[in-house]
Amino acid sequence: MNAAHGKGHLYGPARFERAARTELAKPQLRENLRHATHTIRDKRAEVVDELPDWEQLRESGRAIKAQVARRLPELLERFEAAAVRAGATVHWARDAEEACRIVTGLVQETGASEAVKVKSMTTQEIGLNEALEAAGIGAYETDLAELIVQLADDASSHILVPAIHYNREEIRDIFRQRMPGAADTLSDAPEELAEAARTHLRRRFLSARVAVSGANFAVADTGTLVVVESEGNGRMCLTLPDTLISVVGIDKLVPSFADLEVYLQLLPRSSTGERMNPYTSLWTGVTPGDGPQRMHIVLLDNGRSATLADPVGRQALSCIRCSACLNVCPVYERTGGHAYGSVYPGPIGAIISPQLTGVAENTSLPYASSLCGACNDVCPVKIDITDVLVRLRGQAVDSKRGSPSAERVAMRLLSWVMSDPRRYDRALRAARRGTAPLAALLGGRRTIRHLPWPLSAWTSSRDAPLPAAESFREWWQREQAQRGETP
Amino acid sequence: MKIALFVTCINDMMFPRTGVAVVRILERLGHRADFPQQQTCCGQLHANTGYQDEAMPVIRQFVRTFQGYDAVVAPSGSCVAMVRTLYPQLVGKDPDLAAAAAELTLRTYELSEFLIDVLGVTDLGASFPHRATYHPTCHGMRALRLGERPLELLRHVDGLELIPLEGAEECCGFGGTFSVKNPAVSGAMLDDKCAAVLHTGADYILAADNSCLTHIGGGLHRRQAAPRPLHYAEVLAS
Ligand code: SF4
């Protein structure tokens, strides 16, 4: 069976290299990103170093998720049964459209015209806010950073800190101009900004009858959902409204309650550099007279089953969205999240987005990495991101085998030369002969400023060297001859 | 011990002096390295760019060439990383090749690994009276976990003043075809690396990979900056 690929906010209009160029031209953005990512990565390193059993924890985190991948159908059924027993209603959504249709219908059933939301990447993935808006329902983000991005009519640029690309002055301006009730005299002091947001959100919480949430984990044994957050706004969303709709990717499953012990240590240290996160909310079905009285869980596939089918690529589904890989990625640090065109940016985005959509639809993201491997080293569940990137590059190339490409012709030719020592030897000599006149022109210098296409990209920011006057193998032959040995 | 030198295609064509340096170092230690002339390339360029089918004949050529040696030594962290970390994933479909490659993987060493772990030497009696800084390169650092090995060898070089490089563990932005496919991002990474190198005030920037050094050196050259790129093997051979 071939599972369907996903849809939604998983690709942008431009290829990564073009989008990155646009983002690179924003010096303030680069400064903001550099400052923020370096601050979090240093904090992370510090608290991770405190734990003597960190490597064992990572190994457990990896092993549990590998087990989930093997047992997914069984665990999903188990989860559904437990959740229903506890009084929740479970819905299954194959893709973004189906999920949006289900959620919109559920909100409409309540008669409400607005819903509050607690940070949920999954709902961003499926474009839920836009779908609700199209149905005349206002969806209001309550996570501070999400709120900033929503007010600015912008897209999130980081998994954990969606407004990472703004500094305080920029946030103050967004609040002054866009937040209902914000004073013109608002300063950029963090307390004042937080207070303004709190006043604004209070009103929303107290009037909202419907909330939409995501979940960090879903426990198969008990049907429990878990949200991990730092502001407490999520908890308000999860407890105040009458109806709670949780959209949960099927990759969020863990087998049992005890497994949370591992992830609740791995996640906060990896993501915010905290030993423990401030608010951990767990909810199981409904309790009469306490909290939401109607509870819906929408289990989302959207390309996850298709991802599961690839033996190397499936490890991307182990991701717990801690964002540690973004904070150490030299590419993310320079371009920010928007260049990736997906709600999932950075190294994890470069592997998860093309897998959810199908690689053929998203061929530039697997190349958005220098394969430096910094992401592999910080990943709390030991995803070998660079391995998956190389795998996906192979699939990207294969997906285009039918159409002509100069790159493929060059690669074929090179492979033909490199797989035969005689051809290789001749090519070496030819390369040197070919550049000999150039070398003479350059006099003593052995560097050039401009190479022809496609290597012109290289000489856009660095000078290139010329082949040596004598190759190593020629030296070797000369040396052997001098020693009186036959080469 | 039958030692083979895998000089790598880039060194063969562009930086023969690095290969000569390895030969001289081993000679000084009383070893004769062989240079099997059938060698071409490890196949990294193809594999990392996504041309895995095209990489296969190159990998086969590599495995054929180096079968029968006790050790294969290469002055390149990234080519050794290719053999050690990517070959197992790539050759899976061909059982004979997979067995031969798996065996070869265990006997392929980056120069500093071979000198320290296999031969057990750290002092090569070299002398290089200059100020230099060392860039550890991503593959050497993360794929091979070379750690302090190259620095340990360099610390025994007479007259060499080693200046620490700020942000040493950060990628220089080369990444093989990454620098061609994403030249703007690669250039931005290079800017920061060049600034860090200049900040050291060193005369030389050393590394275990001539490809990264070409990139950094090309950036410094464009800035008409003084530090010169040099493979650490050439320092050890001096
Ligand atoms: S891939 Fe690993 S490091 Fe990156 S967000 Fe996911 S869990 Fe965190």
Side-chain angles (χ1 to χ4, degrees):
Chain A
M1 188 198 74
N2 271 338
H5 286 301
K7 301 191 185 89
H9 292 161
L10 294 165
Y11 23 33
R15 290 178 62 82
F16 177 81
E17 54 274 16
R18 289 201 48 193
R21 206 179 280 279
T22 314
E23 299 303 308
L24 274 167
K26 302 173 184 167
Q28 180 68 57
L29 172 88
R30 256 166 90 178
E31 187 45 46
N32 297 352
L33 282 166
R34 186 182 163 75
H35 178 74
T37 54
H38 280 254
T39 309
I40 320 181
R41 79 161 82 155
D42 293 347
K43 252 177 95 187
R44 176 207 159 270
E46 220 170 274
V47 297
V48 159
D49 281 348
E50 291 172 359
L51 287 191
D53 61 345
W54 183 253
E55 285 309 311
Q56 280 121 290
L57 275 170
R58 285 178 82 202
E59 186 47 39
S60 307
R62 189 203 60 77
I64 295 166
K65 286 284 190 173
Q67 188 201 132
V68 170
R70 281 194 302 273
R71 298 171 50 200
L72 192 60
E74 170 212 331
L75 291 174
L76 282 169
E77 280 175 31
R78 204 180 170 84
F79 174 82
E80 180 182 31
V84 168
R85 225 178 301 128
T89 311
V90 175
H91 311 258
W92 298 83
R94 250 162 312 192
D95 59 15
E97 279 159 31
E98 200 172 1
C100 286
R101 202 161 54 236
I102 294 171
V103 178
T104 310
L106 290 170
V107 180
Q108 278 165 339
E109 258 172 46
T110 68
S113 62
E114 53 178 58
V116 287
K117 285 185 65 201
V118 45
K119 189 165 107 174
S120 158
M121 300 224 57
T122 315
T123 62
Q124 286 178 37
E125 175 189 323
I126 61 175
L128 183 65
N129 288 8
E130 293 86 339
L132 289 175
E133 203 177 305
I137 300 162
Y140 301 105
E141 299 293 349
T142 65
D143 173 89
L144 182 54
E146 291 282 352
L147 173 69
I148 296 165
V149 169
Q150 192 178 35
L151 286 173
D153 222 350
D154 194 2
S156 131
S157 65
H158 188 275
I159 291 180
L160 195 84
V161 203
I164 196 167
H165 53 303
Y166 293 124
N167 63 22
R168 271 192 285 145
E169 292 92 71
E170 290 167 311
I171 294 170
R172 174 202 60 201
D173 294 342
I174 294 168
F175 278 15
R176 279 191 192 168
Q177 286 157 21
R178 306 277 186 104
M179 186 158 39
D184 291 342
T185 53
L186 188 67
S187 84
D188 64 1
E191 319 78 66
E192 270 199 51
L193 293 175
E195 189 51 41
R198 188 173 300 137
T199 317
H200 169 76
L201 288 172
R202 253 325 117 106
R203 278 197 295 273
R204 294 248 184 261
F205 287 131
L206 294 174
S207 64
R209 285 159 46 213
V210 182
V212 178
S213 89
N216 292 88
F217 304 100
V219 183
D221 279 354
T222 55
T224 304
L225 295 181
V226 184
V227 156
V228 177
E229 42 121 14
S230 350
E231 293 166 10
N233 291 335
R235 178 159 295 177
M236 302 270 248
C237 281
L238 298 168
T239 50
L240 287 177
D242 212 36
T243 301
L244 174 60
I245 306 165
S246 302
V247 184
V248 182
I250 55 174
D251 51 323
K252 297 290 169 173
L253 245 64
V254 296
S256 74
F257 216 82
D259 299 320
L260 293 177
E261 176 203 331
V262 172
Y263 296 111
L264 292 180
Q265 293 185 71
L266 288 173
L267 183 55
R269 284 181 201 254
S270 302
S271 57
T272 48
E274 289 166 309
R275 295 180 181 88
M276 200 180 155
N277 67 290
Y279 293 89
T280 304
S281 303
L282 299 94
W283 67 105
T284 314
V286 294
T287 310
D290 183 19
Q293 295 303 295
R294 267 175 302 274
M295 156 93 209
H296 294 276
I297 302 168
V298 182
L299 290 170
L300 177 75
D301 189 320
N302 207 35
R304 286 163 177 76
S305 299
T307 305
L308 203 57
D310 186 283
V312 177
R314 69 166 62 123
Q315 54 184 310
L317 291 181
S318 308
C319 175
I320 57 173
R321 307 280 187 264
C322 71
S323 73
C325 57
L326 277 62
N327 300 330
V328 297
C329 177
V331 175
Y332 176 87
E333 181 187 324
R334 269 97 190 166
T335 65
H338 292 161
Y340 294 79
S342 161
V343 295
Y344 304 115
I348 181 61
I351 60 171
I352 195 86
S353 314
Q355 293 200 92
L356 292 177
T357 60
V359 183
E361 297 290 331
N362 228 333
T363 52
S364 70
L365 285 183
Y367 293 93
S369 164
S370 65
L371 302 181
C372 81
C375 48
N376 296 352
D377 278 8
V378 295
C379 179
V381 291
K382 288 178 126 177
I383 300 174
D384 197 330
I385 297 177
T386 51
D387 242 23
V388 181
L389 284 167
V390 171
R391 169 88 170 174
L392 295 178
R393 290 177 184 189
Q395 293 174 357
V397 166
D398 288 342
S399 75
K400 290 186 290 191
R401 290 225 178 240
S403 53
S405 129
E407 183 184 275
R408 192 170 49 246
V409 172
M411 286 289 178
R412 284 234 171 106
L413 182 67
L414 203 57
S415 165
W416 183 77
V417 169
M418 295 285 204
S419 54
D420 181 293
R422 274 184 316 272
R423 290 198 285 261
Y424 174 74
D425 193 46
R426 274 202 296 274
L428 264 189
R429 289 170 200 276
R432 220 188 41 246
R433 262 201 316 279
T435 47
L438 198 54
L441 264 180
L442 289 170
R445 277 191 297 128
R446 299 216 52 86
T447 10
I448 16 185
R449 270 190 95 100
H450 300 289
L451 284 170
W453 186 90
L455 293 174
S456 50
W458 168 274
T459 42
S460 61
S461 47
R462 37 195 122 39
D463 295 340
L466 286 172
E470 182 185 47
S471 72
F472 179 82
R473 60 189 59 218
E474 285 164 336
W475 173 83
W476 178 266
Q477 283 157 6
R478 198 157 52 80
E479 172 99 347
Q480 298 296 94
Q482 274 170 12
R483 291 186 188 204
E485 293 171 28
T486 35
Chain B
M1 184 167 27
K2 266 185 83 185
I3 307 169
L5 167 64
F6 170 47
V7 79
T8 83
C9 60
I10 298 210
N11 288 327
D12 193 357
M13 176 158 114
M14 315 284 270
F15 307 100
R17 282 201 311 232
T18 299
V20 175
V22 179
V23 173
R24 297 290 183 237
I25 291 168
L26 293 176
E27 270 172 358
R28 204 184 291 166
L29 296 169
H31 294 278
R32 274 284 274 140
D34 188 17
F35 174 75
Q37 297 194 49
Q38 289 78 16
Q39 67 179 273
T40 59
C41 164
C42 64
Q44 184 177 196
L45 175 75
H46 286 96
N48 280 358
T49 315
Y51 291 83
Q52 271 120 39
D53 288 352
E54 285 80 359
M56 291 317 292
V58 185
I59 294 176
R60 235 172 244 124
Q61 177 63 23
F62 182 93
V63 173
R64 231 185 339 245
T65 303
F66 292 106
Q67 257 169 359
Y69 286 96
D70 301 317
V72 181
V73 183
S76 162
S78 88
C79 302
V80 174
M82 166 72 185
V83 174
R84 204 176 288 166
T85 63
L86 271 179
Y87 274 21
Q89 186 189 316
L90 294 168
V91 299
K93 281 184 231 154
D94 180 340
D96 288 344
L97 183 62
E103 217 243 314
L104 193 54
T105 302
L106 301 172
R107 290 181 282 111
T108 306
Y109 303 92
E110 190 279 333
L111 178 66
S112 69
E113 293 175 322
F114 186 70
L115 293 176
I116 295 180
D117 302 355
V118 182
L119 300 183
V121 285
T122 46
D123 191 343
L124 296 160
S127 153
F128 192 75
H130 298 281
R131 293 155 58 84
T133 190
Y134 184 80
H135 170 62
T137 78
C138 302
H139 281 127
M141 187 170 36
R142 301 198 186 89
L144 298 181
R145 308 272 170 214
L146 292 184
E148 287 280 292
R149 288 184 186 84
L151 285 169
E152 211 179 314
L153 295 167
L154 288 170
R155 279 190 205 112
H156 287 88
V157 173
D158 216 35
L160 175 65
E161 187 189 341
L162 274 174
I163 308 164
L165 179 64
E166 209 180 306
E169 70 293 343
E170 299 209 16
C171 179
C172 68
F174 173 59
T177 41
F178 172 75
S179 57
V180 178
K181 286 187 176 277
N182 280 291
V185 189
S186 167
M189 288 157 74
L190 178 61
D191 285 343
D192 294 343
K193 187 55 77 181
C194 285
V197 173
L198 281 175
H199 187 74
T200 63
D203 308 317
Y204 289 90
I205 163 79
L206 311 176
D209 260 295
N210 275 325
S211 43
C212 306
L213 281 174
T214 306
H215 176 74
I216 300 173
L220 290 167
H221 194 268
R222 175 64 55 93
R223 287 162 185 75
Q224 284 159 357
R228 282 173 42 203
L230 190 64
H231 196 287
Y232 81 96
E234 295 180 46
V235 175
L236 297 183
S238 58

